[in-house]
């Protein structure tokens, strides 16, 4: 009995998500005709409880023969993801109120989040793969929740085909690794990993599958179309939650399990980081749809994260996780503005934001601050996040890589400032009427703004995140 209780405590975050899913299923079966506002309030309450419980102290340990591991970094990652999901839910109320299948939407969303939680705590390649599938498959269905729009169905199709392709490559890599090492356990693989032909081939296949999920060039071709066709809350979830979970797992796998293959993956990351930053910037400049622009922006941000991972183990993982926290607040704030403006205007083109500063200064400044953070302009936290990433990447004293990244940060200003110019300076079109937002929306946006502005000035946050890397 004590052992069962201890296992449940180790899996506290996962059990809370499962409990929420079961409650939602019961509520759906016993539907009494309650309004969308009632369901939204109830679901947000569950998400808030889950978020608060996650920040309580938790014991470290293993379960199921080492397949599930609870440690400080994984717990922090889960808490960040839970916070992000709550903020996305609060900032997407306008779209969610109109959703005909609200409970089904959250069932799929929470199922995907559950897969990410198990992925963060996986201690075995099989557990990692199954968790990744649980996180990926519901996302394809979520992409198709704009049922009246053809582009939403197209986004879902591209998502499921891309995920299937990446998963098959990853599974092939896992089979090579198991064939050479005779085990899938992370701790055992750490001890026996060496640069044999099968280990290297297996790792490369696994590597390709993971960077496909991260939209790293040249495995990024699905990203912009899926972002554009998906509902705004799903796009925010894909951009922030999904990629945040993958970055945490990816960086810990590289240094912990595949540390012996450092020469192999360092060269791959070096080349892909350059291609990813350059490609993301070039295509972002050409975009007129704001969701597509942020899609290529997220690709570029992944390139900067790869540079951070190229540094030393603790510093690279710490800088990447610190940047993910900042990226979460920045992107959720930006997509929150897109959600409420697109609900009013019916499109997400940059031209639909012309004159926003006149009628809705709060939304205008929110978008401006979020874009400044993504661009890395001081004093926003995005500036400090990119400084730490470049500092971690500079551990190898590669001047070319750091100069290249700095130049591309300047180039990126062109497309971020294009949006800000439309909001504040363009006067060719009449501004639309003032948009009213609910209290929950404003609270979530304020939290994001506090995170964007405040995190960079609180040095203890980076020190705390850096200390968590020692728990891997």
């Amino acid at each position: 009995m004590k052992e069962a209780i201890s296992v449940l405590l180790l899996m506290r975050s996962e059990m809370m998500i499962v409990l929420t899913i079961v409650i939602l299923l019961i509520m759906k079966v016993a539907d009494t005709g309650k309004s969308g506002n009632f369901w939204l309030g109830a679901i947000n309450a569950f998400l808030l409880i889950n978020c608060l419980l996650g920040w309580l102290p938790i014991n470290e340990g293993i379960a199921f023969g080492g397949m599930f591991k609870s440690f400080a970094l994984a717990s922090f990652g889960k808490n960040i993801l839970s916070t992000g999901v709550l903020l996305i839910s609060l900032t997407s109320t306008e779209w969610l109120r109109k959703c005909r299948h609200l409970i089904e939407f959250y069932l799929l969303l929470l199922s995907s989040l559950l897969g990410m939680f198990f992925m963060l705590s996986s201690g075995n390649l099989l557990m990692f793969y199954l968790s990744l599938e649980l996180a990926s498959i519901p996302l394809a269905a979520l992409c198709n929740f704009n049922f009246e729009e053809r582009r939403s169905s197209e986004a879902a199709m591209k998502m499921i085909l891309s995920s299937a392709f990446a998963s098959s490559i990853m599974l092939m890599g896992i089979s090579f690794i198991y064939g050479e090492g005779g085990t899938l356990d992370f701790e055992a693989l750490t001890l026996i990993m060496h640069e044999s032909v099968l280990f290297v081939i297996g790792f490369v296949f696994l590597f390709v599958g993971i960077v496909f999920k991260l939209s790293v060039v040249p495995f990024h071709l699905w990203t912009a179309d899926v972002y554009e066709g998906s509902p705004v809350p799903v796009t925010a979830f894909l951009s922030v939650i999904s990629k945040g979970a993958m970055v945490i797992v990816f960086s810990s796998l590289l240094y912990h399990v595949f540390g012996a293959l450092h020469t192999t993956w360092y060269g791959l990351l070096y080349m892909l980081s350059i291609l990813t930053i350059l490609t993301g910037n070039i295509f972002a400049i050409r975009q007129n749809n704001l969701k597509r622009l942020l899609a290529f922006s997220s690709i570029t941000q992944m390139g900067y994260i790869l540079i951070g991972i190229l540094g030393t183990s603790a510093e690279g993982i710490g800088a990447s996780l610190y940047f993910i926290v900042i990226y979460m607040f920045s992107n959720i704030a930006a997509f929150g503005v897109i959600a409420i403006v697109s609900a009013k205007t019916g499109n997400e083109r940059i031209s639909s934001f012309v004159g926003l500063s006149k009628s809705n200064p709060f939304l205008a400044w929110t978008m401006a601050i979020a874009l400044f953070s993504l661009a890395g302009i001081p004093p926003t936290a995005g500036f400090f996040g990119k400084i730490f990433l470049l500092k971690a990447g500079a551990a190898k004293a590669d001047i070319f890589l750091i100069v290249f990244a700095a130049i591309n940060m300047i180039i990126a200003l062109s497309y971020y400032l294009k949006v800000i110019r439309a909001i504040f300076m363009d006067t060719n079109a009449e501004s639309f009427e003032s948009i009213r937002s609910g209290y929950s929306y404003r609270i979530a946006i304020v939290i994001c703004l506090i995170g964007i502005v405040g995190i960079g000035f609180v040095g203890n946050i980076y020190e705390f995140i850096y200390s968590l890397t020692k728990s891997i």
Side-chain angles (χ1 to χ4, degrees):
M1 185 65 179
K2 290 183 179 180
E3 184 177 350
I5 293 175
S6 64
V7 170
L8 289 176
L9 289 176
L10 287 177
M11 303 175 64
R12 181 179 64 196
S13 298
E14 289 78 8
M15 290 300 100
M16 186 60 195
I17 295 294
V18 171
L19 178 62
T20 304
I21 291 173
V22 172
I23 292 174
L24 288 179
L25 284 171
I26 295 173
M27 292 169 68
K28 178 61 180 179
V29 172
D31 189 359
T32 56
K34 297 288 186 181
S35 66
N37 287 332
F38 170 81
W39 294 120
L40 273 177
I43 293 169
N44 286 332
F46 284 123
L47 294 177
L48 178 60
I49 293 170
N50 176 58
C51 186
L52 294 176
L53 286 177
W55 290 105
L56 295 176
I58 189 170
N59 294 328
E60 298 187 10
I62 61 174
F64 307 113
M67 293 190 74
F68 183 92
K69 298 174 64 178
S70 176
F71 53 99
L73 184 62
S75 298
F76 179 77
K78 294 173 188 177
N79 295 336
I80 291 299
L81 299 185
S82 296
T83 303
V85 169
L86 175 61
L87 292 174
I88 290 172
S89 179
L90 293 175
T91 56
S92 304
T93 51
E94 289 296 322
W95 182 87
L96 291 168
R97 284 196 188 101
K98 301 174 184 177
C99 184
R100 288 184 293 159
H101 303 282
L102 183 63
I103 294 181
E104 290 87 344
F105 177 86
Y106 276 103
L107 287 173
L108 291 169
L109 192 76
L110 291 173
S111 297
S112 181
L113 182 64
L114 179 64
M116 294 173 194
F117 279 8
F118 279 118
M119 186 170 63
L120 288 171
S121 289
S122 57
N124 182 289
L125 277 175
L126 180 60
M127 180 72 171
F128 166 74
Y129 177 78
L130 294 175
S131 303
L132 183 59
E133 290 303 289
L134 176 59
S136 300
I137 293 174
L139 277 176
L142 286 170
C143 292
N144 195 30
F145 255 73
N146 276 338
F147 300 109
E148 296 81 9
E149 297 186 18
R150 182 177 179 180
R151 63 174 186 169
S152 187
S153 300
E154 181 184 347
M157 180 63 71
K158 289 182 178 180
M159 182 69 186
I160 194 66
L161 291 177
S162 300
S163 295
F165 178 70
S167 296
S168 61
I169 293 177
M170 192 181 302
L171 196 57
M172 178 65 75
I174 292 174
S175 67
F176 276 118
I177 292 172
Y178 180 74
E180 176 71 0
T183 181
L184 296 175
D185 184 76
F186 287 163
E187 296 297 332
L189 285 172
T190 303
L191 298 175
I192 64 174
M193 187 62 57
H194 60 282
E195 292 190 342
S196 67
V197 174
L198 282 181
F199 268 145
V200 171
I201 293 175
F203 166 74
V204 170
F205 281 8
L206 181 66
F207 178 91
V208 168
I210 293 176
V211 297
F212 205 105
K213 305 286 185 180
L214 288 173
S215 303
V216 172
V217 176
F219 312 104
H220 68 293
L221 299 177
W222 60 273
T223 310
D225 291 337
V226 172
Y227 276 36
E228 182 183 8
S230 302
V232 177
V234 179
T235 305
F237 187 87
L238 278 167
S239 176
V240 177
I241 309 302
S242 177
K243 290 188 178 179
M246 286 303 300
V247 166
I248 297 171
V249 176
F250 183 47
S251 54
S252 60
L253 277 176
L254 288 179
Y255 282 106
H256 178 59
V257 180
F258 298 104
L261 304 181
H262 181 271
T263 303
T264 300
W265 61 253
Y266 183 88
L268 287 172
L269 281 186
Y270 189 96
M271 176 182 63
L272 293 183
S273 64
I274 293 174
L275 287 175
T276 301
I277 292 173
L278 188 60
T279 304
N281 271 343
I282 290 173
F283 282 92
I285 293 172
R286 302 170 54 192
Q287 303 307 314
N288 292 313
N289 182 290
L290 196 47
K291 280 164 66 172
R292 291 184 70 89
L293 186 149
L294 289 178
F296 286 107
S297 167
S298 72
I299 291 172
T300 304
Q301 306 295 350
M302 285 302 115
Y304 293 123
I305 289 174
L306 293 185
I307 289 178
I309 295 175
L310 284 172
T312 58
S313 174
E315 190 171 9
I317 298 174
S320 301
L321 186 53
Y322 178 76
F323 184 78
I324 283 296
V325 175
I326 298 167
Y327 177 72
M328 179 189 76
F329 286 119
S330 304
N331 253 29
I332 291 176
F335 279 112
V337 177
I338 294 173
I340 198 167
V341 172
S342 63
K344 183 70 176 177
T345 63
N347 70 76
E348 300 112 9
R349 297 182 67 83
I350 295 175
S351 58
S352 65
F353 288 79
V354 170
L356 185 66
S357 61
K358 295 180 180 179
S359 55
N360 298 273
F362 175 71
L363 296 179
W365 280 106
T366 297
M367 178 62 83
I369 293 171
L371 294 179
F372 283 148
S373 181
L374 291 173
I377 296 176
T380 62
F383 168 76
F384 297 98
K386 288 187 176 178
I387 287 295
F388 284 123
L389 284 177
L390 295 183
K391 180 175 177 290
K396 303 295 184 180
D398 193 315
I399 302 300
F400 168 77
L401 190 62
I402 304 306
V403 172
F404 173 83
I407 292 173
N408 275 271
M409 287 172 63
I410 298 172
I411 295 173
L413 286 173
S414 63
Y415 53 84
Y416 291 122
L417 291 177
K418 179 171 66 173
V419 180
I420 294 172
R421 184 186 64 185
I423 292 173
F424 288 95
M425 300 177 66
D426 285 354
T427 57
N428 296 329
E430 294 182 3
S431 60
F432 43 82
E433 63 186 42
S434 177
I435 299 175
R436 293 184 179 181
S437 55
Y439 288 110
S440 59
Y441 177 89
R442 280 177 276 178
I443 290 172
I445 291 296
V446 168
I447 292 172
C448 289
L449 292 175
I450 292 173
I452 293 171
V453 177
I455 289 178
F457 293 99
V458 183
N460 291 336
I461 295 178
Y462 178 77
E463 293 175 4
F464 171 72
I465 294 175
Y466 183 80
S467 68
L468 295 178
T469 60
K470 300 175 183 177
S471 65
I472 299 179

Short mmCIF file of all heavy atoms in Angstrom, two decimals, residues 322 325-326 379-381 384-385 388 450-466:
data_model
loop_
_atom_site.label_atom_id
_atom_site.label_comp_id
_atom_site.label_asym_id
_atom_site.label_seq_id
_atom_site.Cartn_x
_atom_site.Cartn_y
_atom_site.Cartn_z
N TYR A 322 15.83 28.31 -19.66
CA TYR A 322 15.55 29.71 -19.30
C TYR A 322 14.91 30.44 -20.47
O TYR A 322 13.93 31.18 -20.30
CB TYR A 322 16.87 30.38 -18.89
CG TYR A 322 16.75 31.84 -18.52
CD1 TYR A 322 16.22 32.24 -17.30
CD2 TYR A 322 17.19 32.84 -19.39
CE1 TYR A 322 16.12 33.58 -16.95
CE2 TYR A 322 17.11 34.18 -19.05
CZ TYR A 322 16.57 34.54 -17.83
OH TYR A 322 16.47 35.88 -17.49
N VAL A 325 11.22 29.44 -21.01
CA VAL A 325 10.29 30.12 -20.12
C VAL A 325 9.93 31.49 -20.68
O VAL A 325 8.75 31.88 -20.72
CB VAL A 325 10.89 30.25 -18.70
CG1 VAL A 325 9.99 31.07 -17.80
CG2 VAL A 325 11.14 28.86 -18.10
N ILE A 326 10.94 32.23 -21.12
CA ILE A 326 10.70 33.56 -21.69
C ILE A 326 9.91 33.45 -22.99
O ILE A 326 8.97 34.22 -23.24
CB ILE A 326 12.05 34.27 -21.94
CG1 ILE A 326 12.79 34.48 -20.63
CG2 ILE A 326 11.85 35.60 -22.66
CD1 ILE A 326 14.23 34.88 -20.80
N PRO A 379 14.69 46.36 -22.72
CA PRO A 379 15.00 45.58 -21.52
C PRO A 379 14.12 44.36 -21.34
O PRO A 379 13.96 43.87 -20.22
CB PRO A 379 14.71 46.60 -20.42
CG PRO A 379 13.55 47.37 -20.94
CD PRO A 379 13.73 47.46 -22.43
N THR A 380 13.50 43.85 -22.40
CA THR A 380 12.65 42.67 -22.26
C THR A 380 13.49 41.44 -21.91
O THR A 380 14.70 41.40 -22.15
CB THR A 380 11.88 42.40 -23.56
OG1 THR A 380 12.83 42.14 -24.61
CG2 THR A 380 11.01 43.59 -23.94
N ALA A 381 12.81 40.42 -21.38
CA ALA A 381 13.52 39.21 -20.96
C ALA A 381 14.10 38.46 -22.15
O ALA A 381 15.08 37.71 -22.00
CB ALA A 381 12.57 38.31 -20.18
N PHE A 384 17.81 39.06 -22.50
CA PHE A 384 18.65 38.30 -21.56
C PHE A 384 18.67 36.82 -21.94
O PHE A 384 19.71 36.16 -21.81
CB PHE A 384 18.12 38.48 -20.14
CG PHE A 384 18.18 39.90 -19.65
CD1 PHE A 384 17.06 40.72 -19.69
CD2 PHE A 384 19.36 40.44 -19.17
CE1 PHE A 384 17.10 42.03 -19.26
CE2 PHE A 384 19.42 41.75 -18.73
CZ PHE A 384 18.28 42.55 -18.78
N GLY A 385 17.52 36.30 -22.42
CA GLY A 385 17.48 34.90 -22.83
C GLY A 385 18.44 34.61 -23.96
O GLY A 385 19.17 33.60 -23.93
N PHE A 388 22.11 34.70 -22.78
CA PHE A 388 22.54 33.46 -22.11
C PHE A 388 22.73 32.34 -23.12
O PHE A 388 23.64 31.50 -22.96
CB PHE A 388 21.53 33.06 -21.04
CG PHE A 388 21.62 33.88 -19.78
CD1 PHE A 388 20.52 34.57 -19.30
CD2 PHE A 388 22.80 33.95 -19.07
CE1 PHE A 388 20.59 35.33 -18.14
CE2 PHE A 388 22.90 34.71 -17.91
CZ PHE A 388 21.79 35.40 -17.44
N ILE A 450 4.20 40.58 -17.22
CA ILE A 450 5.10 40.58 -16.05
C ILE A 450 6.26 39.63 -16.29
O ILE A 450 7.42 39.93 -15.97
CB ILE A 450 4.32 40.19 -14.78
CG1 ILE A 450 3.32 41.30 -14.41
CG2 ILE A 450 5.27 39.94 -13.61
CD1 ILE A 450 2.39 40.93 -13.27
N GLY A 451 5.96 38.46 -16.87
CA GLY A 451 7.02 37.51 -17.18
C GLY A 451 8.00 38.05 -18.20
O GLY A 451 9.22 37.91 -18.05
N ILE A 452 7.47 38.70 -19.25
CA ILE A 452 8.34 39.24 -20.31
C ILE A 452 9.26 40.32 -19.78
O ILE A 452 10.45 40.38 -20.11
CB ILE A 452 7.48 39.79 -21.46
CG1 ILE A 452 6.74 38.65 -22.16
CG2 ILE A 452 8.34 40.53 -22.47
CD1 ILE A 452 5.70 39.12 -23.17
N VAL A 453 8.72 41.20 -18.96
CA VAL A 453 9.50 42.34 -18.47
C VAL A 453 10.32 41.99 -17.24
O VAL A 453 11.46 42.44 -17.08
CB VAL A 453 8.56 43.53 -18.16
CG1 VAL A 453 9.34 44.70 -17.58
CG2 VAL A 453 7.82 43.97 -19.42
N GLY A 454 9.75 41.15 -16.36
CA GLY A 454 10.37 40.94 -15.05
C GLY A 454 11.44 39.87 -14.97
O GLY A 454 12.39 39.99 -14.19
N ILE A 455 11.31 38.79 -15.78
CA ILE A 455 12.22 37.65 -15.62
C ILE A 455 13.68 38.05 -15.81
O ILE A 455 14.56 37.59 -15.09
CB ILE A 455 11.83 36.52 -16.60
CG1 ILE A 455 10.52 35.87 -16.15
CG2 ILE A 455 12.93 35.47 -16.69
CD1 ILE A 455 10.02 34.79 -17.07
N GLY A 456 13.94 38.91 -16.78
CA GLY A 456 15.32 39.29 -17.06
C GLY A 456 15.99 40.05 -15.93
O GLY A 456 17.22 40.04 -15.82
N PHE A 457 15.21 40.69 -15.07
CA PHE A 457 15.78 41.49 -13.99
C PHE A 457 15.86 40.71 -12.66
O PHE A 457 16.36 41.23 -11.68
CB PHE A 457 14.95 42.76 -13.76
CG PHE A 457 15.03 43.71 -14.92
CD1 PHE A 457 14.01 43.75 -15.87
CD2 PHE A 457 16.12 44.54 -15.08
CE1 PHE A 457 14.08 44.61 -16.95
CE2 PHE A 457 16.20 45.41 -16.16
CZ PHE A 457 15.18 45.45 -17.10
N VAL A 458 15.38 39.49 -12.66
CA VAL A 458 15.46 38.65 -11.46
C VAL A 458 16.49 37.56 -11.71
O VAL A 458 16.19 36.51 -12.28
CB VAL A 458 14.08 38.04 -11.11
CG1 VAL A 458 14.18 37.24 -9.81
CG2 VAL A 458 13.03 39.13 -10.98
N GLY A 459 17.72 37.83 -11.31
CA GLY A 459 18.81 36.90 -11.60
C GLY A 459 18.65 35.55 -10.94
O GLY A 459 19.19 34.54 -11.42
N ASN A 460 17.90 35.49 -9.84
CA ASN A 460 17.73 34.22 -9.13
C ASN A 460 17.00 33.18 -9.97
O ASN A 460 17.15 31.98 -9.74
CB ASN A 460 16.95 34.45 -7.83
CG ASN A 460 17.77 35.24 -6.82
OD1 ASN A 460 18.99 35.24 -6.87
ND2 ASN A 460 17.09 35.92 -5.90
N ILE A 461 16.20 33.63 -10.94
CA ILE A 461 15.46 32.68 -11.78
C ILE A 461 16.43 31.85 -12.61
O ILE A 461 16.33 30.62 -12.67
CB ILE A 461 14.46 33.43 -12.68
CG1 ILE A 461 13.39 34.10 -11.82
CG2 ILE A 461 13.82 32.47 -13.68
CD1 ILE A 461 12.38 34.91 -12.62
N TYR A 462 17.39 32.52 -13.25
CA TYR A 462 18.36 31.77 -14.04
C TYR A 462 19.22 30.87 -13.15
O TYR A 462 19.51 29.72 -13.51
CB TYR A 462 19.27 32.71 -14.83
CG TYR A 462 20.33 31.99 -15.62
CD1 TYR A 462 20.01 31.34 -16.80
CD2 TYR A 462 21.64 31.92 -15.17
CE1 TYR A 462 20.96 30.65 -17.53
CE2 TYR A 462 22.61 31.24 -15.88
CZ TYR A 462 22.27 30.61 -17.06
OH TYR A 462 23.23 29.92 -17.75
N GLU A 463 19.62 31.37 -12.00
CA GLU A 463 20.42 30.57 -11.08
C GLU A 463 19.65 29.33 -10.62
O GLU A 463 20.22 28.24 -10.50
CB GLU A 463 20.83 31.42 -9.87
CG GLU A 463 21.80 32.55 -10.23
CD GLU A 463 22.09 33.44 -9.04
OE1 GLU A 463 21.61 33.13 -7.93
OE2 GLU A 463 22.78 34.47 -9.22
N PHE A 464 18.34 29.50 -10.37
CA PHE A 464 17.52 28.36 -9.96
C PHE A 464 17.42 27.33 -11.08
O PHE A 464 17.60 26.13 -10.86
CB PHE A 464 16.12 28.86 -9.57
CG PHE A 464 15.13 27.75 -9.34
CD1 PHE A 464 15.22 26.95 -8.21
CD2 PHE A 464 14.11 27.52 -10.25
CE1 PHE A 464 14.30 25.92 -8.00
CE2 PHE A 464 13.19 26.51 -10.05
CZ PHE A 464 13.29 25.71 -8.91
N ILE A 465 17.16 27.79 -12.31
CA ILE A 465 17.06 26.87 -13.45
C ILE A 465 18.40 26.18 -13.70
O ILE A 465 18.45 24.98 -13.97
CB ILE A 465 16.59 27.64 -14.71
CG1 ILE A 465 15.16 28.13 -14.52
CG2 ILE A 465 16.70 26.76 -15.95
CD1 ILE A 465 14.65 29.00 -15.65
N TYR A 466 19.49 26.93 -13.57
CA TYR A 466 20.82 26.36 -13.76
C TYR A 466 21.08 25.24 -12.74
O TYR A 466 21.66 24.20 -13.06
CB TYR A 466 21.87 27.44 -13.65
CG TYR A 466 23.29 26.97 -13.89
CD1 TYR A 466 23.77 26.78 -15.17
CD2 TYR A 466 24.14 26.72 -12.81
CE1 TYR A 466 25.06 26.33 -15.39
CE2 TYR A 466 25.44 26.29 -13.03
CZ TYR A 466 25.90 26.09 -14.31
OH TYR A 466 27.18 25.65 -14.51
#
